[in-house]
Every structure is written in structure tokens, then in C-alpha cells.
Amino acid sequence: MKLSRLAASLLLAGALLTGCASSQGERPLVVVSTNILGDVVSNLVGDDVEVLTLMRPGADPHSFEISASEAARVRSADLVVSNGLGLEEGLQQHLDAAADAGVAAFVAGDVVDVLPYTSTDAGGADDPHFWTDPAQTIAVVDALVPVLEGVDGVDAAAIAARAADYREALEALDADMMTAFAAIPEARRALVTNHHVFGYLAERFGFRVVGAVIPGGTTLAAPSASDLADLVSAIDEAGVRTIFAESSQPDRLMKALAEEADVDVTVTELFTESLTDATGGAPDYLTMMRVNTERIATGLSP
């Protein structure tokens, strides 16, 4: 009996020690709202930090939902990184709950040069789609790095080194986009999409946003017959021959619009508000932007 009790005590002590070691070895937790920002954060922190990205590949950032267990992790994170500017409409209550619980937060929209939506239907609201301009993403990285370096348990020097490499890649992306778009004649730089997502790209690279199938700034809105009629007129006037559908939304409306316009219009898919999984065409931010650049340049070139 005494040997049995001694063995049990040793087993219990071993379990407690193992639990302590596991607890001490836990990585800091950074929760990120969108998968685009999740990819950016992952490039900066590597494997030293656990990154929980809430938005699934291919999801709509305006309307995706999270589980109760994920909501609990948001409230217990070391840092929460979000897009802001009204993008995460379905997630805001959880971001607010984390802030109320004292969780440190970084809002990317607070550090970019914010543009209003080009659509008059949006009433001058802030446009949250800053990542379509890589220079804005560079600004986010520059502001985020010191915040990540301040998280307990991270290797600040390693983050700084990764950030330097990633910033170089972003600068190369920006330069390549500038070159590709410069080859498009100015008269053909007109963009039509599912909804208004290219304001920052248009501002940076000299495009005109002719219109969008869905009015305003959110995918939760719906176009009226008059909206479609106005857009058809704008397409005819601009002489647009390629319109772009976002991968996170069905392109039925875009195809219907192309038929309604009664001209030879091509519908081309872009990756705009969400990354894909590893087997898709846009598994990371840099790839997404390069694919979009090639498709826009091809679609709008003579």
C-alpha cells in the first residue's frame, strides 16, 4: 500500500511539473481578424508566436462569424490585430469585448492614409480596403513591428529581421505594380467591380473607378434596378470591356450586368477581400496582389 501511494504521489508530481513546463513554454497569442492581415502578421512573427486568424479562406470580411471558443481566445489574447474602418461588421462585438477585457489592440486603419469611398452611396464613409495599395500595407508593417516587439515573450530582434525582409518584398511588389499599370493607356484605366474595393489602388496607380454592381461600401447591400441601369450607362460611356468580380462573392450579378450592357464585356475574377487556401490562386498577400495586377493589366490593355 505504501509503495502504491508513493508511486501515485510521484506520478502526480510529475504531471504537475509537466504542466508547469508546458505553461511556461506556451507561445504568445496574437489574434488577427482578417486572413490578409493574418498573413502579414505571420510573416513578421514566424513560429515564435501563435497567430490565430479568425477569418477563413474565401470568407467575406463584412459578414463572417466566429465560434464561442474563438471568441474566448480573442478575449484572452496577448494582442488583437484588426483592420478597422468598419470592415469587420460581424466581428466588432468581439473586438469590443476584448478591448473591455483589457486586451492590447492594434487597428491597421488607424495608421494608414484613409480615403473615403468613391461611391456617393457610401455617404463619405471611410474605405477600409487599404491593402490594395501596397504602400499602405508598408505603413501598417512599420507601425505594427514595434507593437509586436513589445509583446511579452517575443524575440524582438528576430521580428525586426523578418520585418526588414518582408518590407523589401512589399517594396518590390509596389514597384512591379507601378510598372505593369504604367503600360495601360490612361483612357483604359477604368475599373468596375462587385462593390467598391479598389479606391486605394485607383488613387495610387491612376485608375478611374467607374462603378460597382453593389452600391455603397459593404457587400451586405444590394443593387436596385436603377443602380444597374446607371452602371450600364457608365460602362457604355467609359468604353469598358473588362469588369472584375471578387473571388469571395458569386459573379452571377457581374455576368448579368455584362449581358445587360449589350456589349462584348469580359468578366474576370480577382482576389480582393480574402486569401484562398493553399491550393487556391491567392494563398498569401504578395501572391494575391501579383495575380490581381497581372489580371487587371491583361484585362485593360489594348
Side-chain angles (χ1 to χ4, degrees), residues 27-287:
R27 296 175 296 167
L29 171 64
V30 175
V31 173
V32 190
S33 60
T34 71
N35 52 45
I36 292 174
L37 280 175
D39 178 61
V40 171
V41 170
S42 294
N43 274 279
L44 300 178
V45 301
D47 295 329
D48 298 335
V49 173
E50 179 185 358
V51 178
L52 172 61
T53 300
L54 298 175
M55 178 179 159
R56 304 292 187 269
D60 184 339
H62 297 272
S63 59
F64 77 96
E65 298 180 351
I66 62 176
S67 67
S69 61
E70 288 172 325
R73 298 207 76 194
V74 174
R75 295 191 299 272
S76 64
D78 294 284
L79 175 68
V80 172
V81 177
S82 64
N83 189 93
L85 302 175
L87 182 74
E88 301 101 336
E89 298 172 69
L91 186 63
Q92 193 58 51
Q93 60 175 322
H94 301 294
L95 299 177
D96 293 341
D100 291 342
V103 177
F106 176 88
V107 182
D110 290 346
V111 303
V112 302
D113 294 328
V114 180
L115 297 176
Y117 274 110
T118 55
S119 169
T120 56
D121 298 305
D126 293 336
D127 185 345
H129 307 95
F130 58 80
W131 61 84
T132 61
D133 175 2
Q136 300 279 15
T137 303
I138 290 172
V140 171
V141 168
D142 288 346
L144 179 56
V145 166
V147 176
L148 291 171
E149 290 174 340
V151 173
D152 288 343
V154 304
D155 184 340
I159 288 179
R162 293 189 200 98
D165 291 341
Y166 193 57
R167 196 181 197 282
E168 184 176 333
L170 291 171
E171 290 171 345
L173 167 67
D174 184 64
D176 290 345
M177 290 177 67
M178 190 70 72
T179 299
F181 292 148
I184 304 172
E186 184 175 349
R188 299 182 68 91
R189 295 186 192 180
L191 295 171
V192 180
T193 58
N194 285 63
H195 83 291
H196 291 276
V197 71
F198 283 112
Y200 290 87
L201 182 146
E203 176 73 14
R204 180 72 189 289
F205 299 105
F207 286 85
R208 306 185 316 280
V209 179
V210 174
V213 173
I214 300 175
T218 172
T219 57
L220 304 183
S224 66
S226 62
D227 290 326
L228 292 177
D230 290 344
L231 187 52
V232 168
S233 298
I235 288 173
D236 288 339
E237 183 176 344
V240 172
R241 291 298 178 267
T242 300
I243 56 181
F244 300 99
E246 298 170 73
S247 62
S248 63
Q249 300 178 46
D251 63 357
R252 292 190 301 272
L253 277 176
M254 298 297 281
K255 290 180 178 177
L257 175 63
E259 294 172 1
E260 182 69 22
D262 196 27
V263 292
D264 183 17
V265 176
T266 299
V267 178
T268 297
E269 182 184 69
L270 297 180
F271 303 100
T272 54
E273 292 198 302
S274 177
L275 303 180
T276 66
D277 60 23
T279 63
D284 59 75
Y285 172 71
L286 293 173
T287 300

Side-chain angles (χ1 to χ4, degrees), residues 8-20:
S9 298
L10 290 173
L11 287 172
L12 177 59
L16 290 173
L17 287 171
T18 301
C20 290

